[in-house]
Amino acid sequence: MNFLFDQGYENILCGYDEGNIKSKNIGEILGFLPYKVEPNAWQKNGVPITSYMTIMPKERFKDLYSYGSKSK
């Protein structure tokens, strides 16, 4: 994420689909915030699946990870 923010990005988006608990948990652990929900984004075996988008704004990343500091 440091690389993307250093390249000028202001936000990083990350997504996961309904039922993918591992991806959801990783995003939460990293500090991503809810951004957008797309109900019935696609179907698997005729069952509609919801997609979730999360966001990490640059300022939040700085607060969480001391972005730009000399320490690791």
Side-chain angles (χ1 to χ4, degrees):
M1 289 191 279
N2 275 329
F3 175 80
L4 293 174
F5 291 129
D6 286 344
Q7 297 302 308
Y9 288 85
E10 294 298 317
N11 299 294
I12 297 172
L13 298 177
C14 183
Y16 66 92
D17 292 323
E18 180 179 2
N20 190 339
I21 302 302
K22 289 181 180 183
S23 289
K24 178 183 178 188
N25 290 343
I26 289 170
E28 288 175 354
I29 290 167
L30 291 173
F32 279 80
L33 300 170
Y35 178 68
K36 181 180 174 184
V37 176
E38 189 174 339
N40 307 321
W42 59 283
Q43 290 190 12
K44 181 177 182 179
N45 300 324
V47 176
I49 305 294
T50 298
S51 288
Y52 298 88
M53 292 300 297
T54 58
I55 190 168
M56 175 68 74
K58 185 176 187 176
E59 290 303 314
R60 178 170 172 80
F61 183 76
K62 284 181 184 180
D63 291 342
L64 290 173
Y65 297 99
S66 299
Y67 176 74
S69 70
K70 299 282 184 198
S71 63
K72 290 186 179 189

